[in-house]
Amino acid sequence: MKILVINAGSSSVKFTLYESEGEHMLAKGLIERINSANTSLKYANHRGEKLEKDISANSYEAAISAACLALVDKSMGVINNLFEIEGIGHRVVHGGPDVYGSAIITTEIKQTIMDCFALAPLHNPPNYEGIEACAHLFANVPMVAVFDTAFHQTMPPAAYTYALPTEIAAKNQIRRYGFHGTSHHYVALAAAQTLGRALDEVRLITAHLGNGCSITAVNKGRVEDTSMGMTPLEGLVMGTRCGDIDPAIVLMLRNAGYSLSDVDKILNKSSGLLGLAGIGSNDMRDILQAIAAGNNAAQMALDVFVHRLVKYVGAYAAIMNGFDALVFTAGIGENVPVLRARVCEKLAFMGVKLDRALNKSNALRISQEGTAPAVLVVPTNEELMIVRETARLLE
Ligand code: ADP
């Protein structure tokens, strides 16, 4: 079954076309700066042919139309016509408190997605626009929503409840939801497979370390806890987000004269690696380069990042009575041996033993043979997880 995956962001659309049988990626692309003077399309097919050009697209529908033109293009395309597409899977960030899994898109599901606009104001509205655009362009093709929050819905109440007055929390839908669920689910499944065991037999700690960072305790297939909370601001140190801070800092900043929008910007856009390293970049490659050049602030940024990460691993080991594998994924998790080495050094007391050479080469299993817990590096693939979920629901 040919399945189109759509990830519609605030001004961009990522698209991927898969043949679900055998899980072959046929083509993928990105349309950026929709509704601006310089909208661009990047596209690559499985034959390695690439295309990059300026296009005009003043709506999500126009952007997805441009994607479709690339997919059916005579020379660069991978399908003869759009009727070959039998299902569309949409990444949706927030499903709210009642969505426990992926769902075929119906009027009710669309309403659920809209009901979560306030919970994910930057993500759910464009996700919804992507769905509406596809509904117009592909009139009779069934569509599936795959929610970032769904995997975390198995979290127990003790983990998702903030210690706030119950009434105030309920009235304002305040609880922890967790994000990156599709990625954590994908790498957890892959990790269990690597260990040669079923997901419901193993205790995993999955660390998704990209621009956004989150870590999840996956206890026998169920999420025991995850670091992102009501919003993706909580938890680990990230590229530009602060992660955990004393909430009173917000009050203090307000007292010091910062407006609500200033504080929002400080915590979400100017903090994390960017704010700590002070080199004008939140890119881990730049931070590592600055460290190599002797920059102390960049070193501190990495130190704080590692410290927080180790703290979470320890906490999650405690709530699961130990763990069978620690899994690193996403841009930083997959590509920074020095960071993994520093985390694992701290975990030596729990039996973690890294193989230096395997770690350096970003191998799948980087712990020494025969040691436990295992340490794995699993490249994430959220698109493939969406394909699997779409195929499962449509078949
Ligand atoms: P996103 O959350 O936007 O999907 P990614 O998973 O692509 O982010 O991760 C982005 C982060 O990964 C950046 O900090 C980037 O520097 C880092 N990264 C990607 N590749 C490498 C690499 N080869 N070496 C070091 N860091 C890398």
Side-chain angles (χ1 to χ4, degrees), residues 14 180 208-212 273 282-286 288 330-332 335-336:
K14 280 188 198 156
H180 289 146
H208 177 112
L209 310 175
N211 277 315
L273 295 174
N282 59 289
D283 193 301
M284 185 54 91
R285 285 164 286 208
D286 297 333
L288 295 173
I332 296 173
N335 294 297
V336 187

Side-chain angles (χ1 to χ4, degrees), residues 120-302:
L122 301 180
H123 295 100
N124 270 39
N127 297 161
Y128 180 82
E129 295 252 6
I131 290 170
E132 286 294 22
C134 288
H136 285 144
L137 291 166
F138 299 85
N140 293 312
V141 179
M143 302 200 286
V144 167
V146 180
F147 297 89
D148 270 12
T149 50
F151 184 52
H152 297 306
Q153 285 282 91
T154 49
M155 241 191 308
Y160 70 65
T161 304
Y162 288 110
L164 291 167
T166 310
E167 225 172 273
I168 293 175
K171 197 168 141 202
N172 295 285
Q173 290 186 295
I174 297 175
R175 52 156 282 182
R176 309 185 63 253
Y177 289 99
F179 298 88
H180 289 146
T182 308
S183 173
H184 287 290
H185 195 185
Y186 176 84
V187 299
L189 285 165
Q193 196 176 27
T194 304
L195 298 174
R197 297 171 68 187
L199 183 59
D200 60 8
E201 287 176 353
V202 287
R203 296 162 303 170
L204 304 170
I205 299 177
T206 54
H208 177 112
L209 310 175
N211 277 315
C213 300
S214 65
I215 183 163
T216 298
V218 186
N219 194 5
K220 299 178 178 163
R222 296 171 71 87
V223 171
E224 199 75 61
D225 204 348
T226 189
S227 61
M228 284 178 168
M230 166 104 187
T231 76
L233 184 55
E234 191 181 343
L236 299 176
V237 175
M238 313 187 206
T240 63
R241 285 173 243 163
C242 57
D244 296 337
I245 56 166
D246 179 343
I249 292 169
V250 173
L251 308 177
M252 212 204 66
L253 287 171
R254 292 283 283 135
N255 274 338
Y258 292 91
S259 70
L260 260 188
S261 96
D262 289 339
V263 176
D264 181 17
K265 225 174 120 197
I266 291 168
L267 304 184
N268 277 296
K269 300 261 162 70
S270 322
S271 295
L273 295 174
L274 177 71
L276 285 170
I279 55 168
S281 170
N282 59 289
D283 193 301
M284 185 54 91
R285 285 164 286 208
D286 297 333
I287 310 261
L288 295 173
Q289 219 170 29
I291 291 172
N295 183 315
N296 290 335
Q299 183 64 60
M300 180 55 72
L302 185 70

Side-chain angles (χ1 to χ4, degrees), residues 92 94 107-119 124-125 128 132:
V92 180
H94 220 303
T107 313
E108 289 74 36
I109 287 293
K110 283 204 248 180
Q111 188 57 51
T112 302
I113 295 168
M114 283 193 275
D115 291 344
C116 296
F117 278 7
L119 286 170
N124 270 39
Y128 180 82
E132 286 294 22

Side-chain angles (χ1 to χ4, degrees), residues 82-95:
L82 295 179
F83 295 112
E84 291 185 37
I85 296 173
E86 290 181 89
I88 301 173
H90 289 270
R91 177 194 185 208
V92 180
V93 164
H94 220 303

